[in-house]
Amino acid sequence: MGAGHAAAVHGEQRGLPVVIDVRRFGQPLFYAALDATTPDNAEWVRRKSNVVARFHRSSYAVGLKLKAKSETLAEQQGLPLCDYATHGGSFPLCVEGGGVVGSVTVSGLPQRADHELVVEALCGLLGRDYADLWLAAE
């Protein structure tokens, strides 16, 4: 089972209206649109995964860093908001010895919940304890 399938299983079990996308940059590998999703979720996936492709960091981490500086990607990098979204839910996929090769992205929930769904799915795949890595309360 891969990251996309794991996230889809979690989403289906909980009845979450999410889109899950796994891609090697430039090539789709997995896509699922669960019940109650909209075409807008696919657009958010594209924009969030563009952030990961550009910065090799999670979209949530990039967004939190910008928020701490009171900046936007448009101001800091000149990147158009129509193509980049620094909202939570997209993670870089790394291959040992090969670096960042793609992303896994979830869209449909509030950004922090999108982020956490990806973390939970990746923890399961990597044999990590999700309780050690989930985000503390805000």
Side-chain angles (χ1 to χ4, degrees):
M1 175 182 340
H5 185 254
V9 167
H10 289 304
E12 285 178 338
Q13 289 173 342
R14 298 171 191 155
L16 301 176
V18 294
V19 165
I20 302 105
D21 175 270
V22 178
R23 64 182 65 196
R24 183 173 14 199
F25 297 129
Q27 179 184 19
L29 300 174
F30 177 91
Y31 185 88
L34 303 184
D35 290 342
T37 59
T38 69
D40 196 44
N41 296 122
E43 185 62 15
W44 277 96
V45 161
R46 181 187 68 80
R47 294 171 58 219
K48 291 181 202 183
S49 65
N50 282 346
V51 169
V52 173
R54 176 81 181 229
F55 298 102
H56 290 189
R57 297 192 65 205
S58 76
S59 56
Y60 198 45
V62 172
L64 290 174
K65 185 176 180 182
L66 288 168
K67 184 178 177 180
K69 294 180 177 182
S70 297
E71 295 179 342
T72 67
L73 273 184
E75 295 164 345
Q76 187 187 74
Q77 301 284 328
L79 298 175
L81 295 178
C82 64
D83 289 323
Y84 295 87
T86 58
H87 292 74
S90 191
F91 270 70
L93 294 175
C94 303
V95 173
E96 190 172 340
V100 177
V101 297
S103 61
V104 56
T105 308
V106 169
S107 176
L109 305 171
Q111 66 171 334
R112 187 177 169 99
D114 280 347
H115 176 89
E116 287 296 333
L117 187 58
V118 176
V119 170
E120 185 178 5
L122 290 174
C123 282
L125 290 172
L126 298 172
R128 300 289 304 269
D129 186 354
Y130 173 61
D132 291 340
L133 297 172
W134 66 282
L135 295 174
E138 292 182 282

